[in-house]
Amino acid sequence: MEPHLNGPGGDVPILVSGPHGPVQVYCGQGPSPAAASIEHYRALGLDLVPGTGLLAAVVPGAFGAWMLLLEQRGTWRLRDVLEPAIGYAEDGHPMLAGAAATIRAVEQLFRDDWPTSAATYLTSSGAPAEGSRFRNPVLAATYRRIIAEAEAAAADREAQISAARGVFYRGFVAEAMARFSATQEVMDSSGRRHRGLLSGDDLARWQPPVEDSVSVDYGDLTIHKTGPWGQGPVLLQQLQLLAGFDLAAIPLLSAQWVHTIVECSKLAFADREAWYGDPDVVDVPLDDLLSSGYADARRRLVTDTASLDLRPGSPGGRSAQLPDLAATTGAAAAPAAGSGEPTVSANGRTRGDTCHLDVVDRDGMMVSATPSGGWLQSSPVIPELGFCLGSRAQMFWLQPGLPASLAGGKRPRTTLSPSLATRDGVPYLGFGTPGGDQQDQWPLIALLAKLHKGLGLQASIDAATFHSDHFPSSFYPRESYPGRLVVEERLGADVIGELVERGHDVVVVPDWTGGRCCAVSRDPQTGFLSAAADARGMQCYAVGR
């Protein structure tokens, strides 16, 4: 129902923990095509991976990760989980306001250059109206065929789900994706047409990895994140830095509170730029980055004045290399239609979201997941399938020698960043948000308000938010705004004025526009379940049964 936010061609990292036992990461972030190389893109006259189109496609990992989670941790059958989606796609559903607005924004692109998307999403009179019935019968047929082939291949639940993964990555779905990528020249955000690189071999050899989480202790909690193929550890680095400040003594949402958090965020995100990448391909000094000694040394860089420099550290004595932003001269002066991450524009105005969900059951099984990508504005609809490929490869750099430099078979350093906290090894809190580079900023604010100021889940999320645009964006065209601090107006004139005096480039946005957090919690002593949802955007909710 929200194809502008995520789709079957997208990605998902999933953190999951049973009532006891380790927190695991189901990695639904597929790698780049084997044929992808910096030399190939440079030969096309590109110095950034386009934000839309087929050149930005990686192996779509969402379907595989969800199916593996269902197979290993679930109880429902394949048919049980796909039939509701089939019903919405076949019988229709009311077109949501956000989806209608997104389609209007790319209507001309669809008409001029992406006819398969026009056939799927446009009516005879143009973009569909909010509340009108929208159907995607081709997508419904794709899901029906996956069920039919999986049920024909096996009788038991687990084998059918495994067979469904085979159909998607080695069967008719993979064949259609690979054929479309190889044969279609698609207009993308570079302003030119390109074929893709994703092949049947890329799809067939991929399996969703299941990894141990990365974690640090903070107070009486252990906070768990993905590995450095995502930006997740940046939340852990921020917590390590903040552990050296007496946050309990600093008034909530005071200028000192905001300044301290933001300056620590800048240091952690600078390390993200210098050191994070796929640890299967590059050496990421994660133990050093997360050590208390490293945080102690970095914390001394925080002063009462806002830093305007990008300052990565030297973990283990290593020398940092940062992206050369001045070299990306081929980027569009302004983002092209459909490009980038659809959450927050440079001036702080919202223009959509990705997705996030947290779930906990009565027994203590907890899941935190951030599905995204495969947006309808990412790439043309594959006509045989009813959905499009994703554009996550835009997060690679075409500059050699960086941990996040493009290479074949490598995972892009994604921003998708669910969070899960345990207490004494028992799942306690699942939380997160949509929001690209803000995904480890907005939830941090809520977490600190809960832990240091005793606010409940809902009050923590409702507190005024802020975030930094100081470091390079992870999305095309990779802008950065040194010193920029985006704050909600309700921080108050006095606080905002003091932040300006401290040297921050403050951008004030309307109240209730910064953030999309949600959270679930389970009290290990009482078994009570709690949930909270952000009112911002009017599209997040909490439900219990």
Side-chain angles (χ1 to χ4, degrees):
M1 294 181 68
E2 297 182 313
H4 61 307
L5 307 187
N6 87 119
D11 332 277
V12 61
I14 307 168
L15 295 178
V16 59
S17 179
H20 300 279
V23 178
Q24 292 186 305
V25 181
Y26 283 68
C27 176
Q29 179 54 65
S32 61
S37 69
I38 292 174
E39 294 74 22
H40 179 86
Y41 285 73
R42 291 290 190 182
L44 296 173
L46 300 170
D47 46 32
L48 286 177
V49 178
T52 63
L54 297 177
L55 277 178
V58 299
V59 173
F63 187 87
W66 283 124
M67 288 296 106
L68 186 63
L69 181 72
L70 178 65
E71 177 186 341
Q72 295 184 345
R73 301 277 193 149
T75 57
W76 285 14
R77 300 175 303 158
L78 175 71
R79 178 179 292 273
D80 295 331
V81 298
L82 286 183
E83 280 188 336
I86 291 170
Y88 282 128
E90 193 165 67
D91 301 329
H93 59 80
M95 174 62 67
L96 297 179
T102 301
I103 295 169
R104 284 196 301 272
V106 293
E107 178 180 353
Q108 200 60 46
L109 172 68
F110 285 6
R111 290 192 183 282
D112 294 344
D113 298 305
W114 294 2
T116 57
S117 295
T120 302
Y121 288 108
L122 299 183
T123 69
S124 58
S125 58
E130 176 186 348
S132 61
R133 184 185 294 267
F134 174 75
R135 295 181 174 92
N136 190 341
V138 178
L139 179 60
T142 296
Y143 286 150
R144 285 194 185 282
R145 184 173 172 185
I146 290 174
I147 293 174
E149 293 193 14
E151 291 182 343
D156 66 278
R157 190 191 77 91
E158 289 81 3
Q160 286 179 359
I161 297 169
S162 178
R165 292 205 315 276
V167 172
F168 193 95
Y169 292 99
R170 295 181 295 279
F172 81 93
V173 179
E175 292 169 0
M177 290 190 288
R179 183 169 55 249
F180 192 80
S181 179
T183 62
Q184 301 301 304
E185 289 195 342
V186 167
M187 179 65 72
D188 58 41
S189 53
S190 71
R192 286 172 281 163
R193 296 181 180 274
H194 297 105
R195 286 190 176 92
L197 298 173
L198 189 66
S199 72
D201 287 343
D202 294 319
L203 295 159
R205 66 170 152 255
W206 184 75
Q207 295 287 337
V210 180
E211 304 171 347
D212 291 334
S213 66
V214 175
S215 64
V216 300
D217 294 331
Y218 189 80
D220 65 348
L221 298 181
T222 301
I223 312 297
H224 300 264
K225 301 292 288 186
T226 72
W229 51 264
Q231 74 173 20
V234 82
L235 177 71
L236 307 182
Q237 284 196 251
Q238 291 175 90
L239 291 173
Q240 292 286 70
L241 289 164
L242 290 165
F245 294 94
D246 187 4
L247 292 182
I250 302 174
L252 178 68
L253 299 178
S254 64
Q256 184 64 39
W257 175 271
V258 175
H259 175 83
T260 302
I261 294 171
V262 167
E263 292 304 298
C264 289
S265 295
K266 290 177 183 179
L267 294 173
F269 276 89
D271 278 341
R272 183 195 73 168
E273 291 306 306
W275 302 111
Y276 288 22
D278 185 350
D280 291 342
V281 180
V282 297
D283 180 21
V284 182
L286 195 58
D287 288 343
D288 289 327
L289 289 168
L290 296 180
S291 70
S292 57
Y294 180 77
D296 291 342
R298 296 279 282 158
R299 193 181 302 114
R300 289 195 286 270
L301 295 175
V302 177
T303 69
D304 291 335
T305 303
S307 170
L308 301 182
D309 298 318
L310 194 63
R311 301 181 292 176
S314 302
R318 298 167 178 85
S319 296
Q321 183 179 1
L322 289 169
D324 182 4
L325 297 177
T328 57
T329 56
S339 68
E341 198 279 339
T343 304
V344 177
S345 62
N347 61 12
R349 290 197 300 267
T350 58
R351 60 177 188 235
D353 277 314
T354 194
C355 300
H356 180 81
L357 68 147
D358 303 292
V359 184
V360 62
D361 69 16
R362 71 183 70 184
D363 299 316
M365 174 78 76
M366 187 174 287
V367 173
S368 181
T370 309
S372 185
W375 308 305
L376 66 86
Q377 64 273 25
S378 297
S379 193
V381 169
I382 301 169
E384 304 98 317
L385 301 178
F387 65 85
C388 64
L389 293 170
S391 55
R392 197 62 62 178
Q394 67 182 286
M395 309 180 89
F396 286 115
W397 291 97
L398 297 182
Q399 176 183 337
L402 302 173
S405 296
L406 176 68
K410 183 178 182 180
R411 287 176 287 187
R413 192 211 68 207
T414 178
T415 56
L416 305 178
S417 195
S419 304
L420 197 151
T422 57
R423 177 177 282 154
D424 299 325
V426 178
Y428 170 70
L429 181 67
F431 60 101
T433 183
D437 295 306
Q438 288 76 46
Q439 286 184 39
D440 286 302
Q441 297 189 70
W442 293 330
L444 173 66
I445 297 167
L447 179 66
L448 296 174
K450 176 175 174 55
L451 297 183
H452 291 288
K453 303 303 176 183
L455 274 62
L457 276 186
Q458 190 63 56
S460 300
I461 289 173
D462 288 347
T465 63
F466 49 90
H467 70 267
S468 174
D469 289 333
H470 174 77
F471 40 84
S473 168
S474 296
F475 293 87
Y476 181 96
R478 314 305 291 262
E479 313 103 321
S480 65
Y481 302 91
R484 176 170 288 180
L485 173 59
V486 180
V487 304
E488 288 187 328
E489 187 174 13
R490 60 197 170 111
L491 274 180
D494 290 345
V495 170
I496 293 170
E498 184 176 337
L499 291 168
V500 172
E501 290 176 1
R502 287 172 179 256
H504 296 279
D505 175 18
V506 179
V507 175
V508 181
V509 297
D511 292 341
W512 302 98
T513 57
R516 296 289 184 273
C517 294
C518 60
V520 296
S521 182
R522 181 178 184 273
D523 187 315
Q525 275 71 48
T526 64
F528 286 166
L529 306 180
S530 304
D534 207 323
R536 299 170 178 90
M538 297 298 289
Q539 63 191 96
C540 182
Y541 61 91
V543 62
R545 66 174 184 178

